[in-house]
Amino acid sequence: MSTAFTTNQKGDMPMAVMHLLITISIILILILLFKINAAISLIIGSLYMGIAMQLSLVDTVNAIGEGFGGTMGAIGLPIGFGVIIGQLMSDSGAAHTIAHSMIEKSPKKMAMYALGLTGFFLSIPVFFDVTFVILVPLGVAIAKELNKPLPYAIGALVIGAATAHTLVPPTPNPLAAASILNMDLGVITIAGLSIGLVTSLIVMKVFFLILDKGLWNNEKDVEGEMKLQKTKADQLSPAQRPSFLLSLLPILVPIILILLGTVFDFIVKGEYVSNLTEIPGFITFLSNRIVALLFGVILAYVIASKSMDKKEKDEASSLGLQTAGIVLLVTGAGGALGKVIETTEVGKTLIGGVSENTSSPITLILITYLIAVIFRVAQGSGTVAGITAMTIMASAATSGIVHPVWIAMAALSGGISIGHVNDSGFWITTKLSGFSIRGGFKTYTLGEALVSLVIIVITLVGVIIYPA
């Protein structure tokens, strides 16, 4: 392989940073100005980075192929399985059962919080837009029962669903975090669940207080009638839908299996059991992300059999994979860029330059967050924003300055930061709710911005307490 540009050879960190900034600019210009697909834009940016950093044409292309293939090998099947689980849960009525049960079992005063937390748990396997469509009718009913304006319910839904979609596997970004930053998927799952739940509760409280102060103006923030969409599961009677406990299994079983491997790894490394020197083979097998999510898919198929025939289940799986296609392509392209950055040692150069001036992990966290925010605001996709930030800062995860989980949280929080008119989630929320663009800013944009700020604050506190 031809020799890449490195600080040892050139001693010129500014040049490496300049080429990285040009690469980022190329990607953003292609997406924003020329409306080119994010995956294609990432690959073109990768080509520039490799060539500019003195890789040969062949080596650059090989690095792109290796990066794409490596990423897909690590997370392609898990993402696909996660999407199938979500689609089957949606179409079979399992998601509706979970939603109705959680709302019915919560105290009336806590109904709005229960709505948001329901959105949180449903968005673990189900994409944000599907979760929103499922829960909007419940949100309307709760708002009427509590005599609260609709934005309280819409905001709660956005906060809960968007937080889980951003932080908790098997959604693409947190799943990619484990691969890009070379960390245990169980660790990112624990961090995503714990930080996500705390964040959701805090942000819902803050959001409700802001609305109480008079933020909402019906005359300016509402544009038309709410557009409630009917789904296949809406046509099912309660008797046709699976029970609450059965409905939970496709979500809980994969998470438990993944965490099982993390627990045994902790026990082995901590030498808490004298005769246990390595993780048993069957535990390693069961906790593998592919196997764990495969169990989830099988359970989702079995549970869906109560209300769906074979053809309907196959159609649901196909529809889910169609939805996942672009996500997989973008994620793989992010992996390609990551491999080029790794091969050219740009990441090490950047982290080395930063660490020469400061060894503060907080600086690395804020840089990661800022990169993700820039991508999020500029091109709209939280997936592209988070993956790009993690890819650029991956070297920080091995620097010993900061623990990889904090790099992941910083990138993911930046990826959810400011969703506006270039984000499909903004339009789904705004149009289905009957809000004006101004109303969308006050619910979707404000809700996600508050989530981002709380996550980054928790991350910075975590870095201070446990930096590496």
Side-chain angles (χ1 to χ4, degrees), residues 71-93:
T71 302
M72 285 297 95
I75 66 174
L77 280 174
I79 287 177
F81 287 160
V83 172
I84 291 173
I85 291 170
Q87 193 67 49
L88 285 170
M89 287 184 64
S90 172
D91 290 354
S92 68

Tab-separated table of all heavy atoms in Angstrom, residues 71-93:
chain	number	residue	atom	x	y	z
A	71	THR	N	-18.234	-2.487	7.812
A	71	THR	CA	-19.378	-1.938	8.540
A	71	THR	C	-20.625	-2.778	8.332
A	71	THR	O	-21.367	-3.079	9.267
A	71	THR	CB	-19.648	-0.480	8.096
A	71	THR	OG1	-18.479	0.300	8.326
A	71	THR	CG2	-20.828	0.114	8.854
A	72	MET	N	-20.868	-3.162	7.097
A	72	MET	CA	-22.042	-3.989	6.805
A	72	MET	C	-21.931	-5.361	7.468
A	72	MET	O	-22.921	-5.919	7.950
A	72	MET	CB	-22.218	-4.158	5.296
A	72	MET	CG	-22.763	-2.938	4.577
A	72	MET	SD	-24.426	-2.468	5.109
A	72	MET	CE	-24.048	-1.224	6.346
A	73	GLY	N	-20.712	-5.891	7.515
A	73	GLY	CA	-20.526	-7.182	8.179
A	73	GLY	C	-20.835	-7.112	9.656
A	73	GLY	O	-21.337	-8.074	10.255
A	74	ALA	N	-20.556	-5.951	10.252
A	74	ALA	CA	-20.772	-5.801	11.689
A	74	ALA	C	-22.221	-5.467	12.033
A	74	ALA	O	-22.764	-5.961	13.017
A	74	ALA	CB	-19.848	-4.706	12.235
A	75	ILE	N	-22.869	-4.615	11.205
A	75	ILE	CA	-24.190	-4.127	11.626
A	75	ILE	C	-25.283	-4.270	10.567
A	75	ILE	O	-26.440	-3.948	10.835
A	75	ILE	CB	-24.120	-2.645	12.062
A	75	ILE	CG1	-23.769	-1.749	10.870
A	75	ILE	CG2	-23.134	-2.461	13.195
A	75	ILE	CD1	-23.819	-0.268	11.208
A	76	GLY	N	-24.935	-4.759	9.372
A	76	GLY	CA	-25.947	-4.869	8.317
A	76	GLY	C	-27.120	-5.749	8.703
A	76	GLY	O	-28.286	-5.334	8.640
A	77	LEU	N	-26.830	-6.987	9.103
A	77	LEU	CA	-27.905	-7.906	9.505
A	77	LEU	C	-28.648	-7.435	10.754
A	77	LEU	O	-29.881	-7.476	10.785
A	77	LEU	CB	-27.338	-9.318	9.719
A	77	LEU	CG	-27.112	-10.152	8.454
A	77	LEU	CD1	-26.411	-11.460	8.805
A	77	LEU	CD2	-28.438	-10.429	7.746
A	78	PRO	N	-27.933	-6.966	11.795
A	78	PRO	CA	-28.665	-6.470	12.962
A	78	PRO	C	-29.629	-5.336	12.640
A	78	PRO	O	-30.749	-5.299	13.158
A	78	PRO	CB	-27.541	-5.992	13.896
A	78	PRO	CG	-26.391	-6.862	13.554
A	78	PRO	CD	-26.483	-7.068	12.074
A	79	ILE	N	-29.225	-4.398	11.785
A	79	ILE	CA	-30.135	-3.313	11.414
A	79	ILE	C	-31.341	-3.882	10.674
A	79	ILE	O	-32.492	-3.526	10.944
A	79	ILE	CB	-29.423	-2.260	10.540
A	79	ILE	CG1	-28.449	-1.440	11.397
A	79	ILE	CG2	-30.446	-1.317	9.887
A	79	ILE	CD1	-27.645	-0.429	10.617
A	80	GLY	N	-31.079	-4.776	9.726
A	80	GLY	CA	-32.173	-5.398	8.979
A	80	GLY	C	-33.127	-6.153	9.886
A	80	GLY	O	-34.353	-6.018	9.767
A	81	PHE	N	-32.582	-6.921	10.830
A	81	PHE	CA	-33.428	-7.668	11.767
A	81	PHE	C	-34.236	-6.711	12.647
A	81	PHE	O	-35.419	-6.943	12.928
A	81	PHE	CB	-32.564	-8.566	12.659
A	81	PHE	CG	-31.998	-9.772	11.952
A	81	PHE	CD1	-30.898	-10.448	12.473
A	81	PHE	CD2	-32.557	-10.239	10.774
A	81	PHE	CE1	-30.373	-11.561	11.826
A	81	PHE	CE2	-32.041	-11.351	10.118
A	81	PHE	CZ	-30.946	-12.002	10.644
A	82	GLY	N	-33.590	-5.632	13.100
A	82	GLY	CA	-34.293	-4.670	13.938
A	82	GLY	C	-35.471	-4.037	13.226
A	82	GLY	O	-36.546	-3.860	13.809
A	83	VAL	N	-35.285	-3.721	11.952
A	83	VAL	CA	-36.366	-3.110	11.169
A	83	VAL	C	-37.510	-4.102	10.969
A	83	VAL	O	-38.696	-3.738	11.038
A	83	VAL	CB	-35.835	-2.610	9.822
A	83	VAL	CG1	-36.982	-2.151	8.925
A	83	VAL	CG2	-34.854	-1.465	10.022
A	84	ILE	N	-37.173	-5.368	10.702
A	84	ILE	CA	-38.216	-6.394	10.533
A	84	ILE	C	-39.020	-6.553	11.826
A	84	ILE	O	-40.256	-6.647	11.804
A	84	ILE	CB	-37.583	-7.739	10.127
A	84	ILE	CG1	-37.027	-7.650	8.698
A	84	ILE	CG2	-38.618	-8.865	10.204
A	84	ILE	CD1	-36.244	-8.872	8.282
A	85	ILE	N	-38.332	-6.572	12.976
A	85	ILE	CA	-39.024	-6.664	14.263
A	85	ILE	C	-40.008	-5.511	14.411
A	85	ILE	O	-41.169	-5.701	14.771
A	85	ILE	CB	-38.010	-6.645	15.431
A	85	ILE	CG1	-37.176	-7.932	15.450
A	85	ILE	CG2	-38.737	-6.483	16.779
A	85	ILE	CD1	-36.004	-7.889	16.418
A	86	GLY	N	-39.544	-4.308	14.116
A	86	GLY	CA	-40.392	-3.140	14.250
A	86	GLY	C	-41.604	-3.173	13.342
A	86	GLY	O	-42.725	-2.855	13.763
A	87	GLN	N	-41.421	-3.596	12.093
A	87	GLN	CA	-42.530	-3.632	11.140
A	87	GLN	C	-43.553	-4.696	11.538
A	87	GLN	O	-44.766	-4.458	11.466
A	87	GLN	CB	-41.999	-3.919	9.731
A	87	GLN	CG	-43.014	-3.681	8.624
A	87	GLN	CD	-43.371	-2.214	8.481
A	87	GLN	OE1	-42.510	-1.367	8.414
A	87	GLN	NE2	-44.662	-1.922	8.439
A	88	LEU	N	-43.084	-5.857	11.957
A	88	LEU	CA	-43.997	-6.919	12.386
A	88	LEU	C	-44.763	-6.511	13.647
A	88	LEU	O	-45.960	-6.785	13.768
A	88	LEU	CB	-43.221	-8.212	12.646
A	88	LEU	CG	-42.757	-8.979	11.403
A	88	LEU	CD1	-41.789	-10.094	11.790
A	88	LEU	CD2	-43.947	-9.561	10.650
A	89	MET	N	-44.088	-5.844	14.567
A	89	MET	CA	-44.771	-5.377	15.774
A	89	MET	C	-45.838	-4.339	15.440
A	89	MET	O	-46.911	-4.318	16.028
A	89	MET	CB	-43.757	-4.785	16.752
A	89	MET	CG	-42.879	-5.821	17.440
A	89	MET	SD	-41.777	-5.069	18.655
A	89	MET	CE	-42.953	-4.414	19.835
A	90	SER	N	-45.526	-3.490	14.480
A	90	SER	CA	-46.493	-2.471	14.069
A	90	SER	C	-47.711	-3.088	13.401
A	90	SER	O	-48.858	-2.809	13.759
A	90	SER	CB	-45.814	-1.480	13.124
A	90	SER	OG	-46.751	-0.584	12.572
A	91	ASP	N	-47.480	-3.975	12.415
A	91	ASP	CA	-48.583	-4.529	11.622
A	91	ASP	C	-49.408	-5.567	12.380
A	91	ASP	O	-50.596	-5.747	12.095
A	91	ASP	CB	-48.032	-5.152	10.330
A	91	ASP	CG	-47.511	-4.099	9.364
A	91	ASP	OD1	-47.690	-2.897	9.647
A	91	ASP	OD2	-46.918	-4.470	8.335
A	92	SER	N	-48.783	-6.243	13.333
A	92	SER	CA	-49.498	-7.302	14.060
A	92	SER	C	-50.339	-6.770	15.216
A	92	SER	O	-51.131	-7.510	15.802
A	92	SER	CB	-48.502	-8.324	14.610
A	92	SER	OG	-47.707	-7.750	15.627
A	93	GLY	N	-50.152	-5.493	15.554
A	93	GLY	CA	-50.885	-4.918	16.682
A	93	GLY	C	-50.119	-4.990	17.988
A	93	GLY	O	-50.592	-4.484	19.013
